[in-house]
Amino acid sequence: MKIVTYNVNGIKARLPRLLEYLAEGDADVVCLQELKASDDSFPAADIEAAGYGAVWHGQKSWNGVAVLTRGAQPIERVRGLAGEPEDEHSRYLECEVPDGNGGTMVVASLYLPNGNPRPGPKFDYKLRWLDRLRSRATELLSEEVPAVLAGDYNVIPHDDDTFSVRAMAEDALMQPESRAGYRRLLADGWTDALRTRHPAGKIWTFWDYQAGAWQRDAGFRIDHLLLSPRAADRLVDAGVDKAHRGREKASDHAPTWVRLR
């Protein structure tokens, strides 16, 4: 099965590109981020017409995540992360989906805070959110189920995950604290699928709209799919559908995927 994470950067503006991707590809599960749409404006009918069931967690103008499943309806498990009752951001949605082998697995779509500018409250929130994600991820590991944490982590894990260390040196995406939070997830037992399949790095998932980043291939890797041990045992391949970033009015992220047997 193919599981995709795709930050669409506004589902209303990017709906034609998303529907193209669903029609042209072979994605079984698609995790969306940055819907920038309220729950009642999510294009559920269009998604259903494309052959996918959907669960979504929207927020007007900001954030928003969704899980789409081809030929089936995902079953919601968790909406939002525990730990900060006052946090109203729509950034985490966890569902049960068919695993392609007659069983089920857990897939979460997540949109980790950007954290800029730093230092400041936005960066502090990013680090707290990482800690809250780790708490939930630990609970998932204890269930010993195949699980995938897919999304825009807004973390550049390694120096070879960016076109320019100098350009990103002061950015919240590449700070030691951000990287440490990501490494703690891996140390707990999660596998970075893309890094496993492309250990040399230099594979991007995001290209800014500004300064000709796409034309210069000045990108970096911030979209990740982390696999629990039982999912990692089934890892076949992982990659980026880069060509979709070059289409007209495309998202600044490319669909990033893992294939499990």
Side-chain angles (χ1 to χ4, degrees):
M1 64 182 302
K2 183 178 181 180
I3 301 171
V4 179
T5 181
Y6 191 7
N7 180 322
V8 292
N9 191 12
I11 195 165
K12 294 178 184 177
R14 238 60 69 183
L15 184 60
R17 300 290 81 79
L18 173 60
L19 295 178
E20 277 179 358
Y21 185 74
L22 297 179
E24 296 172 8
D26 57 350
D28 296 291
V29 179
V30 181
C31 296
L32 304 178
Q33 301 87 39
E34 234 182 323
L35 302 177
K36 297 181 179 178
S38 60
D39 280 341
D40 59 3
S41 62
F42 183 83
D46 295 290
I47 300 297
E48 183 178 354
Y52 287 78
V55 175
W56 59 94
H57 181 23
Q59 184 174 349
K60 185 178 181 180
S61 302
W62 306 99
N63 306 318
V65 288
V67 176
L68 317 183
T69 307
R70 183 167 60 176
Q73 179 64 30
I75 300 172
E76 182 177 327
R77 296 177 100 234
V78 176
R79 178 176 293 241
L81 291 175
E84 289 192 30
E86 69 279 9
D87 184 4
E88 297 180 349
H89 287 197
S90 300
R91 294 184 177 274
Y92 185 87
L93 183 63
E94 181 183 304
C95 294
E96 185 176 291
V97 303
D99 70 353
N101 294 315
T104 61
M105 67 184 307
V106 176
V107 174
S109 179
L110 64 96
Y111 178 44
L112 207 140
N114 177 281
N116 285 303
R118 56 155 291 274
K122 291 187 176 182
F123 189 60
D124 295 341
Y125 172 57
K126 178 190 187 86
L127 299 182
R128 293 197 310 273
W129 206 94
L130 260 170
D131 287 340
R132 291 162 59 202
L133 174 62
R134 186 186 180 198
S135 294
R136 178 57 195 156
T138 300
E139 293 173 350
L140 276 175
L141 290 176
S142 71
E143 294 184 32
E144 298 185 356
V145 296
V148 181
L149 301 177
D152 177 358
Y153 282 69
N154 271 315
V155 176
I156 299 172
H158 308 277
D159 285 356
D160 57 14
D161 286 322
T162 177
F163 76 101
S164 171
V165 172
R166 176 184 290 183
M168 300 303 296
E170 298 303 317
D171 198 284
L173 278 61
M174 214 173 74
Q175 294 312 298
E177 300 94 330
S178 305
R179 287 178 163 184
Y182 187 81
R183 285 197 304 269
R184 283 192 288 269
L185 286 168
L186 302 185
D188 287 341
W190 295 89
T191 295
D192 182 333
L194 205 61
R195 188 73 180 184
T196 299
R197 296 295 297 164
H198 304 273
K202 302 296 182 183
I203 180 168
W204 319 140
T205 67
F206 170 90
W207 297 257
D208 200 290
Y209 289 130
Q210 300 179 3
W214 169 249
Q215 292 76 10
R216 296 184 296 115
D217 197 28
F220 40 86
R221 183 173 78 100
I222 55 175
D223 301 275
H224 311 307
L225 299 109
L226 301 191
L227 312 181
S228 71
R230 288 189 62 184
D233 287 344
R234 297 171 54 184
L235 175 61
V236 175
D237 201 2
V240 180
D241 289 331
K242 181 178 177 179
H244 284 266
R245 171 61 179 84
R247 297 193 178 187
E248 184 180 1
K249 296 182 180 179
S251 170
D252 43 8
H253 296 250
T256 303
W257 52 268
V258 62
R259 195 177 295 277
L260 307 177
R261 64 173 182 268

